[in-house]
Amino acid sequence: MSHSTVPRSRAEADDDGTGRTPVTTGAAATTKKANTGKLGLRLRFRRDRALILMTLPAVLLLLVFNYLPILGNIVAFQDYDPYVSDNGVVSMLHSAWVGLENFQQIFADSAFWNAVKNTLVLFFLQLVLFFPIPIALALLINSVLRPRVRAIAQAVLYLPHFFSWVLVISVFQQLFGGAGLLSQLLRQHGYDGLDIMTDPSTFKFLVTAEGVWKDAGWGIIVFLAALASVSPDLYEAAAMDGAGRWRRIWHVTLPALRPVIALLLVLRVGDALTVGFEQILLQRDAVGPGASEVLDTFVWWNGVRNQDFGYAAAAGLIKGVVSLGLVLAANKVAHLMGEQGVYKK
Amino acid sequence: MTAVIDEPPARERPPSRWAAPARPVWEEEPSTAGVAGKGLVLTLACLAVLFPLWIVVVTSLSSRKTIDEAGGLVMIPKGITFVAYRELLSGGQVTRATVISILITLVGTAFSMTVSVLCAYGLSRIGSLGHRWFLLLLMATMFFSAGLIPTYLLVQSLGLTDSYLALILPSAVSVFNILVLRGFFMGISQELTDSARIDGAGDFRILWQIVMPLSRAVLAVITLFYAVGYWSAWFNASLYLNDQDKMPLQNVMIQLVQKQQAPVGLGQAIKTGELSYLSVQMAVMVMALLPVAVLSPFVQKHFKKGMLTGAVKG
């Protein structure tokens, strides 16, 4: 296609192409990098314009929906009035500037600190109770030799990952809700029914259990890939040296998983303040905000429900800035430990 | 020559997929207790996934009488009736919501795939103009989020309230998916694309006729990811749609199952005693899980090939 639009001879066009496609004629046998360096900007644009054109739609969508809204965080410093106009931007231009007042109010708001507490508790619960399960399942499946058994187990365990949160919570409600299977069986045997779905005291365990049911099976996929890349020679050598089954797991398998585990831990810690927004929002009404409010639902409640956009945006901004700091810090730690982290140094 | 003769004879027939491959000689034979323990744990894990789904499906297919006898949820089916599905799919709220969800999923997935595949190919040539900057722009979005409120205000300012575009455009691009695709595209042999270029093919043609046919596995996986995303989404609909008649299936499910509201236009069948409200709830859940449950095993065989090779190169 580029040839039809670039009015030059075939020979010239091919020569032009050497920048990214090393044609092994003697004259053009320079390295790729040196060659691109030599080409002028105009030539490179002419050569790569189809590629740039292809990249643009996605880049535009990201600019509009991921980058442009960053400017909207200005409302965090405003007494934003959504009723000035139907258009958010017009409202923003007409709202009063209040400086850091929203932030001062937030730091004095016990509901905010409750949300912080719930978020952190949930994060640690998920880290301790959820994180090891996929590793254990992956080790288990990896030790099964029969390919058909492995495939079936994987297919079944992956399945809930593709269910929506609405569906997962509906399923849990049918099992553990006031009219669910557990209550039904208890009542049939003369006990009182039990409604776990609306019990604030066990809510955080419920959320963790839902997460395990939905995503623990999916989590094994990364570990299985890492396990598949371990050379069988290592196991054989260890066995020759007298290492039994468990010692081989400890000295061969787990060290092989270490980079993956480190990477996932880094990702998890960087994302510590995000503990399942949709999942918790769906259950917020049933349990009440005392036990279920996390930072994300706090933002939603104040902004979308109470229309206090400045206040909610300020809370969201706090979360965003702290999260960014956590990601960068977690990567730093990973690098110090000698692991790769999310991005390279 | 002797080396060829010395080789052991080829295996006569491929082993059954149920059979275990030969255990390496250095590995101990597992104990009976070990095998039994592993089998038990694996079976329990699979049952934990399948048992709730079984109850949901069976109850959705049960008559009012069976449900009353069981005192609620049915574990053992006694006769099958499709009355709940017939009621739900004979027009009305749930039928409309299902059609809406299917359309959004189809249109959204097609749009997301087009944008993502183009972008992934556009960034797959190291050293092309702007390559590094575009990549940086993409990757940076994985580290921050503009926040719920600013995004909400933006979508509203763009006039997308009550428009289905609000359910597609803001979440149309997944940078992770693009990076997986890109990793896979970069692994395709350069000789192939080079020879096509020498034959006069442009980049669009190379993508369509060479790169995409070679990437069926990863394309299938990413298509599934996007489709599941659109099918499962409910939050943006609750945020941007005010008109209850426009709600997709997940949002209707929230109302019917979690808020226990009766579906519009179903009162009669429930009153006549033919239909239990419980089986209506279950039928809605089955309708939400069916497409996913049917599609994901099909695509699962591509996971290893597509997903991992792509993701590793990131």
Side-chain angles (χ1 to χ4, degrees):
Chain A
M1 193 173 279
S2 64
H3 286 252
S4 59
T5 49
V6 179
R8 281 171 300 159
S9 73
R10 167 68 60 96
E12 269 172 351
D14 275 348
D15 195 46
D16 181 352
T18 52
R20 60 175 190 232
T21 58
V23 176
T24 47
T25 54
T30 42
T31 63
K32 240 189 233 181
K33 201 159 190 183
N35 216 341
T36 23
K38 260 191 256 167
L39 288 173
L41 204 61
R42 256 186 61 196
L43 273 176
R44 284 179 72 195
F45 176 73
R46 191 190 284 204
R47 184 192 70 193
D48 294 334
R49 62 183 163 189
L51 295 178
I52 294 171
L53 193 66
M54 288 175 176
T55 314
L56 280 183
V59 165
L60 281 180
L61 279 169
L62 288 176
L63 282 177
V64 172
F65 290 103
N66 292 56
Y67 282 90
L68 194 55
I70 295 175
L71 291 176
N73 277 307
I74 290 170
V75 299
F77 305 94
Q78 288 183 326
D79 181 17
Y80 179 80
D81 183 357
Y83 305 108
V84 172
S85 146
D86 284 342
N87 190 307
V89 176
V90 178
S91 300
M92 214 158 90
L93 292 175
H94 287 88
S95 293
W97 188 261
V98 295
L100 296 177
E101 200 180 289
N102 286 322
F103 294 90
Q104 283 164 355
Q105 278 180 29
I106 284 175
F107 287 128
D109 185 348
S110 63
F112 173 74
W113 291 111
N114 177 50
V116 171
K117 191 195 82 187
N118 284 335
T119 307
L120 293 179
V121 170
L122 262 175
F123 163 68
F124 281 111
L125 263 186
Q126 290 174 353
L127 200 61
V128 174
L129 298 181
F130 182 123
F131 198 79
I133 293 179
I135 304 176
L137 276 175
L139 289 177
L140 182 65
I141 288 187
N142 194 54
S143 73
V144 174
L145 283 174
R146 290 169 207 274
R148 183 54 78 82
V149 175
R150 287 174 71 134
I152 291 175
Q154 284 179 47
V156 170
L157 294 175
Y158 289 167
L159 193 58
H161 171 77
F162 297 106
F163 295 163
S164 65
W165 274 116
V166 182
L167 185 63
V168 171
I169 289 161
S170 299
V171 167
F172 268 73
Q173 194 176 333
Q174 304 303 344
L175 292 179
F176 303 116
L181 188 71
L182 184 65
S183 290
Q184 182 184 321
L185 291 175
L186 282 173
R187 270 196 294 269
Q188 279 165 5
H189 293 84
Y191 300 98
D192 283 339
L194 195 64
D195 189 355
I196 299 174
M197 299 303 286
T198 57
D199 187 349
S201 62
T202 54
F203 178 71
K204 294 190 181 68
F205 292 97
L206 175 71
V207 168
T208 311
E210 288 165 354
V212 169
W213 191 76
K214 186 177 195 286
D215 283 325
W218 182 248
I220 65 180
I221 203 170
V222 196
F223 296 113
L224 281 182
L227 288 174
S229 67
V230 182
S231 159
D233 295 350
L234 288 176
Y235 288 110
E236 187 171 354
M240 289 300 138
D241 288 345
R245 193 176 295 279
W246 294 103
R247 289 196 73 108
R248 288 204 300 273
I249 289 186
W250 183 253
H251 290 295
V252 180
T253 313
L254 287 180
L257 289 182
R258 209 185 63 174
V260 183
I261 294 175
L263 175 65
L264 290 184
L265 268 179
V266 165
L267 286 173
R268 190 64 207 103
V269 171
D271 222 13
L273 298 185
T274 306
V275 284
F277 171 54
E278 291 195 357
Q279 177 192 8
I280 293 167
L281 186 57
L282 283 168
Q283 301 176 88
R284 191 182 179 279
D285 289 345
V287 184
S292 71
E293 194 87 287
V294 291
L295 282 172
D296 284 329
T297 56
F298 180 83
V299 171
W300 175 86
W301 174 258
N302 282 292
V304 178
R305 268 296 162 83
N306 287 347
Q307 302 278 303
D308 195 349
F309 288 100
Y311 194 70
L317 192 57
I318 294 172
K319 189 213 153 192
V321 170
V322 174
S323 291
L324 183 62
L326 279 175
V327 179
L328 299 177
N331 265 291
K332 191 89 188 167
V333 171
H335 290 157
L336 288 178
M337 279 161 50
E339 307 290 353
Q340 209 176 39
V342 183
Y343 58 85
K344 289 187 193 121
K345 242 184 285 193
Chain B
M1 235 11 232
T2 44
V4 176
I5 294 163
D6 284 346
E7 264 180 69
R11 200 176 286 181
E12 277 159 16
R13 60 189 169 83
S16 142
R17 277 187 291 176
W18 285 102
R23 188 176 292 277
V25 281
W26 46 267
E27 200 174 299
E28 315 84 330
E29 279 297 315
S31 65
T32 322
V35 172
K38 273 199 296 197
L40 186 71
V41 173
L42 216 50
T43 313
L44 283 180
C46 289
L47 274 183
V49 171
L50 293 179
F51 177 67
L53 302 182
W54 165 257
I55 288 182
V56 169
V57 172
V58 167
T59 309
S60 80
L61 293 171
S62 293
S63 66
R64 173 93 190 232
K65 198 163 143 272
T66 322
I67 289 175
D68 286 346
E69 277 171 13
L73 294 153
V74 185
M75 278 186 270
I76 302 142
K78 278 180 205 151
I80 285 176
T81 166
F82 287 94
V83 64
Y85 294 93
R86 217 166 39 226
E87 284 289 333
L88 286 178
L89 290 176
S90 61
Q93 194 186 13
V94 175
T95 316
R96 191 175 53 231
T98 310
V99 173
I100 290 170
S101 276
I102 291 174
L103 287 178
I104 290 177
T105 305
L106 290 179
V107 175
T109 308
F111 179 69
S112 288
M113 279 309 283
T114 311
V115 170
S116 305
V117 168
L118 284 175
C119 180
Y121 180 80
L123 294 176
S124 68
R125 207 73 53 72
I126 289 178
S128 69
L129 183 62
H131 164 268
R132 287 174 63 89
W133 291 106
F134 285 135
L135 207 55
L136 194 66
L137 188 136
L138 256 70
M139 306 265 263
T141 62
M142 296 171 95
F143 287 90
F144 70 87
S145 134
L148 170 66
I149 300 302
T151 311
Y152 173 78
L153 292 177
L154 173 82
V155 173
Q156 193 204 31
S157 309
L158 291 174
L160 295 181
T161 312
D162 263 329
S163 155
Y164 287 127
L165 285 179
L167 309 192
I168 294 179
L169 292 181
S171 53
V173 180
S174 152
V175 170
F176 176 80
N177 287 351
I178 291 182
L179 293 181
V180 172
L181 286 169
R182 172 177 176 265
F184 197 91
F185 291 168
M186 286 170 80
I188 289 175
S189 141
Q190 275 257 313
E191 283 84 33
L192 274 175
T193 47
D194 286 349
S195 59
R197 192 165 290 112
I198 289 166
D199 288 345
D203 279 312
F204 282 95
R205 198 180 171 123
I206 291 173
L207 172 61
W208 183 251
Q209 293 194 334
I210 294 176
V211 172
M212 283 180 67
L214 286 172
S215 316
R216 287 210 184 95
V218 74
L219 291 175
V221 173
I222 302 296
T223 305
L224 177 82
F225 285 174
Y226 274 128
V228 166
Y230 283 111
W231 181 257
S232 305
W234 63 274
F235 180 66
N236 279 354
S238 79
L239 209 53
Y240 301 126
L241 301 185
N242 299 317
D243 187 349
Q244 290 303 311
D245 290 345
K246 286 187 173 174
M247 288 295 176
L249 186 61
Q250 304 286 341
N251 297 69
V252 171
M253 186 156 71
I254 295 175
Q255 288 168 17
L256 298 193
V257 182
Q258 272 163 287
K259 307 223 160 118
Q260 308 272 339
Q261 294 166 4
V264 181
L266 259 191
Q268 202 51 41
I270 292 178
K271 269 179 211 148
T272 55
E274 191 190 354
L275 181 61
S276 165
Y277 184 56
L278 199 57
S279 56
V280 174
Q281 291 185 339
M282 299 298 163
V284 176
M285 286 165 69
V286 172
M287 282 159 64
L289 74 83
L290 203 61
V292 179
V294 169
L295 279 183
S296 71
F298 268 117
V299 183
Q300 195 210 338
K301 63 175 186 206
H302 294 309
F303 278 163
K304 265 213 186 100
K305 260 192 284 177
M307 164 92 188
L308 295 172
T309 42
V312 167
K313 284 171 199 151

